[in-house]
Amino acid sequence: MALKGLAISGGIAVARVCLFNESRHSSIPIYTVQSAEVEKEVERFRKARETAARQLDAVRADVAARIGEAEAEIFVAQRMILEDPTVDAQILDAIRKRHANAEAAINTVLDAFEARLQRMDNEYIKERASDIGEVRRRLLDILHQVAPSLQCGDADYCQRGRNRIVIAEELTPSLTLGLDTEHTMGFVTERGGVTSHAAILARALGIPAVSGIKGIHSLLACGTEVLVNGDTGEIVISPSDRTVARLRAGAKTRIRAPKPEPACAELSVLANISLSEETAEVIEMQAEGIGLYRTEFEFMAAERLLTEDEQFERYAAVLRAMDGKPVYVRLMDVGSDKPLPGVAVENEDNPSLGWRGARFLIGRPDLLATQARALARASAHGDLRVMYPMITDRRQFVKLKGLFREAVAGLRKGRIRHGAMFEVPAACLQAADILKSADFASVGTNDLIQYLFAVDRNNDRVAHDYDPDRPVFWALLKQIADAARAAGRPLSVCGEMAGDPRYVRKIREAGIDRVSVSPRLIPEIRRVARRLCGGRPRARRGGARG
Ligand code: PEP
Ligand code: MG
């Protein structure tokens, strides 16, 4: 889903989101202070104001050192609001004359000032209104001893804004600076213009930001992946790998990416790619290999069938670049929503149950043979493992492997391993049988969820039902992992859910210690895995590896 807002700080970022809860003061305490307690209430206000002044001085000094003197002036301006004699007099009046409690007095007085500036017909002055709001929130935070919080706060996958895109109602300067901004990937807010102080800070820090996305909190759950384009003001919710790859290819500026995280003993994390040029990012993210190379995208990007030589160049380049690390290349997975350019397919009533994946390859042995030859030649350049898509049973897998081997007989080649993708429930239920003939397997959860729950993976209307987190799914995954362990065959999960930090724990508990995810998600998945296992190296590796 793409939404258009206001571009307030340039650059592009793709990351998962953290939702900041800015509505923490939506119901402040309001009560009447007893006459005898009025001076105590005045004292509460004064103490809060002194603390706020000290905090603002500290923030000012921090910004001057981290960013620059000009940006630090924002906090001098906020201190002036805090100590403005008119504001001060009105708050004291409210406490002394109307016996308002400090919170209510601060709220009413500063709200009125803020609203007055908001009504001005001048964008610059309107933006200054947000400083008043920020001073108000700071005072209330001090009185209540709270800080801006995250909606996902307690979840074990929460990154507290680190390597995340921060979602907030408004990008206040304090929120911008209170974060570990070195690791903040981007900002998306409901309010705030180009001249807001926070936008100035985001630009100074080089963090892409988009504002003016109404109702963003209700559209996103914590952990959803979002693409922020601070150059165009567009955000894309749950962008596909293709959208990201296309943008990366055309972007003038580098896409802001998380810092790589070294490999961890708890979970092997490999990378999913669609095009050979994505290998650079795979290496940058220190992936332990390529766990899924969706070769059909090479044809789709070229908008035609590729010759054997053209395919060879792409596959060999990937294998060479990966320098001996395993590369799981999936034979073209054509059909359904992935038409092969140059190959006409009759209209089907039910394309996702039609001529696709393994069935297509059996139906077009000529195309399979060309790809097999290109792969066999490339196998001399690295560690090649060939994956067969949408396998239903052992007979079908053996047939395809036979066609592959026939096509490459007589060619000079390296060692090639052959494995099945488990995406069809029937194949999963026969995992032990299929693994008698396969060297390895990988669970394609995108399709498996679709077929297990009879829910279209591409239909927004039923998206709420596209949810793997149900006992039957985990039981099936465990059954496959048990079969792989018993057969001594390596097993991985390469569907999108493997890149979702919410599922790392359950994937590990199902007995799987290898996943393949979009390269940009590798650091976070490794961090979560390491945290779940207490950072300790695993004592004994499971059998389902290799
Ligand atoms: C899957 O189905 O999980 C998978 C990895 O294949 P694709 O998403 O390309 O269908
Ligand atoms: Mg699939």
Side-chain angles (χ1 to χ4, degrees):
M1 185 202 253
L3 300 166
K4 187 87 172 87
L6 191 65
I8 61 169
S9 177
I12 298 166
V14 189
R16 296 189 183 279
V17 302
C18 262
L19 300 175
F20 271 75
N21 174 13
E22 289 285 4
S23 56
R24 59 194 184 277
H25 300 308
S26 53
S27 58
I28 59 154
I30 298 180
Y31 53 89
T32 305
V33 178
Q34 304 283 320
S35 304
E37 303 289 312
V38 161
E39 282 314 306
K40 260 201 210 149
E41 201 62 15
V42 167
E43 203 41 38
R44 267 186 84 222
F45 161 61
R46 289 212 167 115
K47 280 221 171 89
R49 199 182 52 185
E50 277 164 26
T51 308
R54 273 199 306 278
Q55 286 181 355
L56 284 170
D57 285 349
V59 177
R60 198 212 73 79
D62 179 41
V63 174
R66 271 164 67 184
I67 305 172
E69 282 295 340
E71 286 79 11
E73 285 303 301
I74 296 168
F75 299 94
V76 177
Q78 288 192 4
R79 190 165 170 173
M80 283 163 75
I81 295 169
L82 183 72
E83 288 170 350
D84 183 278
T86 317
V87 170
D88 195 49
Q90 289 192 11
I91 292 175
L92 289 177
D93 252 19
I95 301 175
R96 287 201 170 115
K97 295 196 179 138
R98 296 202 301 277
H99 290 199
N101 59 313
E103 291 91 334
I106 290 165
N107 212 35
T108 320
V109 171
L110 289 177
D111 239 10
F113 275 108
E114 189 177 352
R116 217 174 300 154
L117 288 197
Q118 284 285 9
R119 282 197 297 273
M120 305 281 258
D121 196 15
N122 176 318
E123 273 310 309
Y124 182 80
I125 292 183
K126 271 191 191 168
E127 295 297 356
R128 305 289 77 81
S130 70
D131 280 330
I132 299 180
E134 183 155 0
V135 170
R136 178 173 57 84
R137 279 190 295 273
R138 185 179 290 280
L139 285 167
L140 295 176
D141 280 351
I142 293 165
L143 286 168
H144 281 183
Q145 299 181 346
V146 293
S149 61
L150 295 169
Q151 283 181 9
C152 54
D154 293 337
D156 59 11
Y157 53 82
C158 177
Q159 301 289 303
R160 310 200 68 75
R162 211 179 149 85
N163 289 311
R164 293 252 173 169
I165 288 168
V166 168
I167 307 288
E169 271 165 43
E170 192 178 353
L171 190 51
T172 57
S174 308
L175 174 58
T176 322
L177 291 160
L179 293 162
D180 177 8
T181 40
E182 201 195 324
H183 298 103
T184 302
M185 307 301 290
F187 292 111
V188 179
T189 62
E190 301 212 5
R191 292 196 303 273
V194 179
T195 60
S196 66
H197 285 145
I200 295 168
L201 288 174
R203 286 197 290 273
L205 291 163
I207 300 173
V210 168
S211 79
I213 307 281
K214 297 279 170 266
I216 184 78
H217 279 79
S218 57
L219 289 172
L220 298 176
C222 182
T224 310
E225 200 183 21
V226 164
L227 182 158
V228 179
N229 191 334
D231 298 331
T232 62
E234 195 179 46
I235 72 159
V236 183
I237 300 174
S238 305
S240 66
D241 284 352
R242 247 184 121 193
T243 303
V244 177
R246 212 180 300 135
L247 195 78
R248 181 167 282 122
K252 282 187 226 82
T253 47
R254 199 175 165 279
I255 296 189
R256 203 170 156 82
K259 290 211 172 60
E261 181 81 21
C264 59
E266 294 78 20
L267 188 70
S268 289
V269 189
L270 290 82
N272 291 352
I273 63 166
S274 302
L275 299 171
S276 57
E277 54 257 37
E278 289 167 51
T279 313
E281 197 194 358
V282 172
I283 293 166
E284 194 183 323
M285 289 297 145
Q286 300 172 14
E288 284 151 82
I290 290 176
L292 170 65
Y293 178 6
R294 294 177 159 104
T295 54
E296 62 278 5
F297 283 97
E298 295 286 10
F299 299 83
M300 287 156 79
E303 295 178 353
R304 61 182 172 78
L305 287 174
L306 297 170
T307 63
E308 182 185 317
D309 282 348
E310 286 170 329
Q311 290 187 52
F312 163 75
E313 276 158 29
R314 287 162 173 78
Y315 307 149
V318 173
L319 282 156
R320 261 187 241 116
M322 290 310 293
D323 198 20
K325 293 201 174 81
V327 178
Y328 293 78
V329 181
R330 182 174 70 186
L331 293 181
M332 60 178 95
D333 181 18
V334 174
S336 189
D337 59 338
K338 290 184 286 193
L340 190 63
V343 176
V345 177
E346 271 171 39
N347 265 349
E348 295 175 303
D349 282 347
N350 228 333
S352 55
L353 302 180
W355 202 45
R356 62 168 302 195
R359 288 187 199 117
F360 178 92
L361 289 168
I362 289 174
R364 287 297 306 259
D366 53 327
L367 296 175
L368 167 59
T370 308
Q371 186 167 33
R373 279 196 300 272
L375 281 168
R377 285 167 56 200
S379 67
H381 297 272
D383 180 354
L384 173 68
R385 308 178 185 208
V386 178
M387 289 209 284
Y388 294 74
M390 299 292 297
I391 292 298
T392 309
D393 56 26
R394 183 168 164 211
R395 186 194 50 79
Q396 189 189 43
F397 175 73
V398 168
K399 163 121 186 133
L400 275 170
K401 198 166 71 166
L403 288 173
F404 186 108
R405 286 193 168 146
E406 225 170 81
V408 304
L411 288 178
R412 264 192 57 196
K413 50 190 175 294
R415 177 175 182 201
I416 303 174
R417 277 170 265 218
H418 301 261
M421 284 198 66
F422 289 144
E423 305 172 275
V424 177
C428 300
L429 295 168
Q430 302 173 81
D433 191 40
I434 292 172
L435 285 166
K436 285 183 195 149
S437 301
D439 298 320
F440 64 88
S442 187
V443 188
T445 53
N446 303 338
D447 277 311
L448 180 56
I449 297 162
Q450 156 164 276
Y451 296 120
L452 189 60
F453 299 109
V455 57
D456 186 344
R457 63 188 270 189
N458 297 317
N459 183 343
D460 280 351
R461 194 159 174 195
V462 297
H464 61 278
D465 231 13
Y466 187 89
D467 174 15
D469 200 8
R470 310 186 214 188
V472 64
F473 174 81
W474 296 113
L476 186 58
L477 203 58
K478 183 167 181 314
Q479 194 176 321
I480 301 168
D482 289 348
R485 192 173 301 104
R489 297 283 186 254
L491 177 75
S492 69
V493 174
C494 65
E496 295 312 296
M497 66 175 294
D500 188 328
R502 285 175 301 171
Y503 299 132
V504 174
R505 179 193 292 274
K506 284 190 173 169
I507 287 176
R508 290 282 291 110
E509 282 169 0
I512 289 169
D513 56 12
R514 173 183 297 220
V515 294
S516 187
V517 307
S518 297
R520 61 182 180 277
L521 303 177
I522 293 174
E524 180 166 10
I525 294 301
R526 281 184 175 155
R527 268 196 303 277
V528 174
R530 189 170 281 134
R531 206 167 53 218
L532 286 177
C533 302
R536 286 188 310 273
R538 219 180 10 225
R540 195 177 64 83
R541 294 193 152 194
R545 295 177 66 103

Coordinates of all heavy atoms in Angstrom, one line a residue, residues 20 52 59 74 93 109 121 221 253 301 309 320 390 412 452 457 459 481 499 540:
F20 N 5.7 5.2 18.3 CA 5.9 6.0 19.5 C 4.5 6.5 20.0 O 3.7 7.0 19.2 CB 6.9 7.1 19.3 CG 8.3 6.7 19.5 CD1 8.9 5.9 18.6 CD2 8.9 7.0 20.7 CE1 10.2 5.4 18.9 CE2 10.2 6.6 21.0 CZ 10.8 5.8 20.0
A52 N 12.8 21.3 33.7 CA 12.7 21.4 32.3 C 13.8 22.3 31.7 O 14.4 22.0 30.7 CB 11.3 22.0 31.9
V59 N 20.1 19.4 26.5 CA 19.8 19.1 25.1 C 20.5 20.1 24.1 O 21.0 19.7 23.1 CB 18.2 19.1 24.8 CG1 17.9 18.8 23.4 CG2 17.6 18.0 25.7
I74 N 17.1 26.0 18.6 CA 15.8 25.5 18.8 C 15.5 25.4 20.3 O 14.4 25.8 20.8 CB 15.6 24.1 18.2 CG1 15.7 24.1 16.7 CG2 14.2 23.5 18.6 CD1 15.8 22.7 16.1
D93 N -1.5 32.3 38.0 CA -2.9 32.8 38.2 C -3.9 31.6 38.3 O -4.7 31.6 39.2 CB -3.3 33.7 37.0 CG -3.3 35.1 37.4 OD1 -2.7 35.5 38.4 OD2 -4.0 35.9 36.6
V109 N -3.1 26.8 29.8 CA -2.4 28.1 29.4 C -1.6 27.8 28.1 O -1.7 28.5 27.1 CB -1.5 28.6 30.5 CG1 -0.6 29.7 30.0 CG2 -2.3 29.1 31.7
D121 N -2.2 32.6 9.8 CA -2.1 32.3 8.4 C -0.6 32.3 7.9 O -0.3 33.0 6.9 CB -3.0 33.2 7.6 CG -3.3 32.7 6.2 OD1 -3.0 31.5 6.0 OD2 -3.7 33.4 5.3
A221 N 1.0 -1.9 12.4 CA 1.3 -2.6 13.6 C 2.8 -2.5 13.9 O 3.6 -2.3 12.9 CB 0.9 -4.0 13.5
T253 N 20.3 8.6 -4.4 CA 21.0 8.4 -3.1 C 21.0 7.0 -2.6 O 20.1 6.2 -3.1 CB 20.3 9.3 -2.0 OG1 18.9 9.0 -2.1 CG2 20.6 10.8 -2.2
A301 N 12.8 -9.1 -15.4 CA 13.5 -7.8 -15.5 C 13.9 -7.6 -17.0 O 13.9 -6.5 -17.5 CB 14.7 -7.8 -14.6
D309 N 23.7 -18.6 -22.4 CA 24.8 -17.8 -22.1 C 24.5 -16.6 -21.1 O 25.2 -16.4 -20.2 CB 25.5 -17.2 -23.3 CG 26.4 -18.3 -24.0 OD1 26.6 -19.4 -23.4 OD2 26.8 -18.1 -25.2
R320 N 30.4 -16.7 -8.1 CA 31.8 -16.2 -7.9 C 31.8 -15.2 -6.7 O 32.7 -15.2 -5.8 CB 32.3 -15.5 -9.1 CG 33.1 -16.4 -10.0 CD 33.7 -15.5 -11.2 NE 33.3 -16.1 -12.4 CZ 32.5 -15.6 -13.3 NH1 32.1 -14.3 -13.1 NH2 32.2 -16.2 -14.4
M390 N 7.5 -25.6 -5.8 CA 6.1 -26.1 -5.8 C 6.0 -27.6 -6.0 O 5.1 -28.2 -6.6 CB 5.3 -25.4 -6.9 CG 5.2 -23.9 -6.7 SD 4.2 -23.5 -5.3 CE 2.7 -24.1 -5.7
R412 N 31.0 -29.9 -18.4 CA 31.9 -29.8 -17.3 C 31.3 -29.1 -16.1 O 30.8 -28.0 -16.3 CB 33.2 -29.0 -17.7 CG 34.3 -30.0 -18.2 CD 35.6 -29.2 -18.4 NE 36.0 -28.5 -17.2 CZ 36.9 -27.5 -17.2 NH1 37.4 -27.1 -18.3 NH2 37.2 -26.9 -16.1
L452 N -2.3 -23.9 2.8 CA -2.7 -24.6 4.0 C -4.1 -24.0 4.5 O -4.9 -24.8 5.0 CB -1.6 -24.4 5.1 CG -1.8 -25.2 6.4 CD1 -1.8 -26.7 6.1 CD2 -0.7 -24.9 7.4
R457 N -2.6 -15.3 -1.1 CA -1.5 -14.4 -0.6 C -1.5 -13.0 -1.2 O -0.9 -12.1 -0.7 CB -0.2 -15.1 -0.8 CG 0.2 -15.3 -2.2 CD 1.5 -16.2 -2.4 NE 2.7 -15.4 -2.4 CZ 3.9 -15.8 -2.7 NH1 4.0 -17.1 -3.0 NH2 4.9 -15.1 -2.8
N459 N -4.4 -11.2 -2.0 CA -5.8 -10.6 -2.0 C -5.9 -9.8 -0.7 O -6.0 -10.3 0.4 CB -6.8 -11.7 -2.1 CG -8.2 -11.1 -2.1 OD1 -8.5 -9.9 -1.7 ND2 -9.2 -11.9 -2.5
A481 N 10.6 -30.3 10.2 CA 11.9 -30.2 10.8 C 12.3 -31.6 11.4 O 13.5 -32.0 11.2 CB 11.9 -29.2 11.8
G499 N 11.7 -13.5 7.9 CA 12.3 -12.2 8.2 C 11.6 -11.4 9.1 O 11.8 -10.2 9.3
R540 N 25.1 -27.7 20.8 CA 25.2 -28.8 19.8 C 24.3 -28.4 18.7 O 23.2 -27.9 18.8 CB 24.6 -30.1 20.5 CG 24.9 -31.3 19.7 CD 24.3 -32.5 20.5 NE 22.8 -32.4 20.5 CZ 22.0 -32.8 19.6 NH1 22.5 -33.3 18.5 NH2 20.7 -32.8 19.7

